[in-house]
């Protein structure tokens, strides 16, 4: 990693890698701080649906490394390093990272989002011991087991479909009385005999001594409580933007996502945002990719 760049991108998901690729192609010296393993939320997805150019879907572990390769080839430097904070310096920004400090004339926030927790007893204690948000990683280890997916949106149903390939039974617990996912996921789930959807169901506790052994579920209509014996819990109840490192410099919306104008500039000069860390983001990979490119183009114009 060098000392100073035109553009530093924070985040190595599809938005960040595309921002890095685009900024480098525009001739800007570019560093992408990709966090732990670049790839973001999509890295472990078995089949990314709706991404242009891949009519049969594409695995995240294929798409993300190829995007990184493309960013590298364009001349962006991609480092598996976290942005820890930033302060104004020399008309740009001084950035603290997990591997020292760098300066940037412009910064693109593409730090994405993290899974919201259920906030119930047992969740913290059993994290990583049967609680997972990666169906493609943990599904193969759960052959023949009964597992629970919590949520009724796209992520919940997509991951339930992946789990159905290996688990004996997948129970989707949804607190509402209608699924909230794309129609294609709803119909595939309804046709999949291994998946059972329970409506009006909220998880009250995750049970187990050393690893997940069950869940306590309340029916929101009648209030009845029951215990289900399950080997794993996959919670997909929403995402929270990773906006923390930027919050003292830029305006956030009521979800703590970074506010931008229509050209993706945040409220502080020289900071731009792309992807699901941004308020109003569409929540699709194609949209995050497009925003990454747009933010880099706007940052380039700002520097010019
Ligand atoms: C289970 C699931 C399935 C999905 N399936 C689909 C699908 O089939 N089709 C589709 O179109 N969309 C899908 N999506 C949505 C898609 O994942 C998002 O739209 C997309 O990942 C957003 O990309 P992003 O780059 O904005 O953020 P992210 O993917 O969240 O990437 C952000 C990256 O930034 C890193 N980071 C965070 N903080 C820092 C920091 N301080 N410094 C450096 N790096 C940091 C993170 O570790 C991460 O690598 C799915 C989402 C989920 C949760």
């Amino acid at each position: 990693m060098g000392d100073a760049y035109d553009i530093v991108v924070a985040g190595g998901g599809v938005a960040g890698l595309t921002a890095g690729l685009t900024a480098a192609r525009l001739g800007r010296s570019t560093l992408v701080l990709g966090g732990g393993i670049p790839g973001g939320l999509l890295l472990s997805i078995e089949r990314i649906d709706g991404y242009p150019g891949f009519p049969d879907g594409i695995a995240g572990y294929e798409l993300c490394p190829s995007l990184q390769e493309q960013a590298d080839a364009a001349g962006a430097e991609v480092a598996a390093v976290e942005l820890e904070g930033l302060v104004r310096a020399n008309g740009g920004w001084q950035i603290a990272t997990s591997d020292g400090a760098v300066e940037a004339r412009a910064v693109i926030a593409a730090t994405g989002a993290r899974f919201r927790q259920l906030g119930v007893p047992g969740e913290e204690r059993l994290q990583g011991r049967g609680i997972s948000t990666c169906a493609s990683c943990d599904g193969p280890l759960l052959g023949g087991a009964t597992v629970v997916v919590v949520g009724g949106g796209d992520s919940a149903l997509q991951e339930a479909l992946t789990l159905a390939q290996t688990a004996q039974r997948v129970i989707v617990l949804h607190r509402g009385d209608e699924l909230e996912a794309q129609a294609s996921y709803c119909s595939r789930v309804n046709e999949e005999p291994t998946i059972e959807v329970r409506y009006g169901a909220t998880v009250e506790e995750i049970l187990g001594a050393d690893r997940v052994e069950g869940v306590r579920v309340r029916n929101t209509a009648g209030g009845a409580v029951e215990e289900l014996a399950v080997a794993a819990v996959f919670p997909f109840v929403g995402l929270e933007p990773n906006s923390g490192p930027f919050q003292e410099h830029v305006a956030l919306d009521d979800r703590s996502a970074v506010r931008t104008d229509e050209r993706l500039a945040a409220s502080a000069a020289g900071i731009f945002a792309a992807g699901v860390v941004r308020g109003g983001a569409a929540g699709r990979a194609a949209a995050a990719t497009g925003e990454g490119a747009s933010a880099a183009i706007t940052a380039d114009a700002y520097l010019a």
Side-chain angles (χ1 to χ4, degrees), residues 9-17 33-45 47-51 58 79 81-85 110-115 133 154-156 158-159 182 185 236 239 242 245-246 274-278 282-289 291:
V9 180
V14 290
L17 291 171
L33 300 172
I37 307 172
L41 290 168
L42 288 170
L43 187 62
S44 63
I45 300 299
R47 190 179 109 170
I48 300 170
D49 293 308
Y51 197 76
I58 177 167
V81 164
E82 294 258 328
L83 177 144
E84 292 180 339
T111 40
R114 60 189 179 281
F115 291 101
T133 48
D154 284 347
S155 307
Q158 191 179 15
E159 295 294 82
Q182 297 172 44
Y185 288 143
F236 295 104
L239 294 171
N242 292 321
F246 301 96
V276 290
V277 71
R278 194 183 76 78
R284 293 280 189 283
T289 307
E291 288 188 12

Side-chain angles (χ1 to χ4, degrees), residues 118-136:
L118 297 172
V120 298
E123 187 174 29
E124 233 174 85
R125 186 168 46 82
L126 296 168
Q127 206 54 249
R129 298 165 174 219
I131 301 178
S132 167
T133 48
C134 182
S136 68

Side-chain angles (χ1 to χ4, degrees), residues 101-112:
V102 289
E103 285 201 6
R105 296 170 62 209
V107 178
I108 298 176
T111 40

Side-chain angles (χ1 to χ4, degrees), residues 22-172:
T22 308
R25 286 179 59 82
L26 288 164
R28 298 295 177 183
S29 58
T30 304
L31 171 67
V32 179
L33 300 172
I37 307 172
L41 290 168
L42 288 170
L43 187 62
S44 63
I45 300 299
E46 190 65 37
R47 190 179 109 170
I48 300 170
D49 293 308
Y51 197 76
F54 299 97
D56 298 323
I58 177 167
Y61 44 82
E62 287 172 15
L63 179 72
C64 298
S66 75
L67 248 179
Q68 183 176 346
E69 212 176 287
Q70 198 176 353
D72 279 339
E77 207 178 315
V78 182
V81 164
E82 294 258 328
L83 177 144
E84 292 180 339
L86 66 170
V87 289
R88 270 213 177 282
N90 307 323
W93 295 92
Q94 168 142 33
I95 297 169
T97 82
S98 46
D99 191 28
V102 289
E103 285 201 6
R105 296 170 62 209
V107 178
I108 298 176
T111 40
R114 60 189 179 281
F115 291 101
R116 184 176 298 145
Q117 298 212 319
L118 297 172
V120 298
E123 187 174 29
E124 233 174 85
R125 186 168 46 82
L126 296 168
Q127 206 54 249
R129 298 165 174 219
I131 301 178
S132 167
T133 48
C134 182
S136 68
C137 329
D138 294 320
L141 310 174
L142 293 162
T146 297
V147 302
V148 150
V149 171
V150 190
D154 284 347
S155 307
L157 298 203
Q158 191 179 15
E159 295 294 82
L161 286 161
T162 300
L163 288 166
Q165 294 168 19
T166 46
Q168 189 191 45
R169 189 169 171 225
V170 180
I171 304 172
V172 176

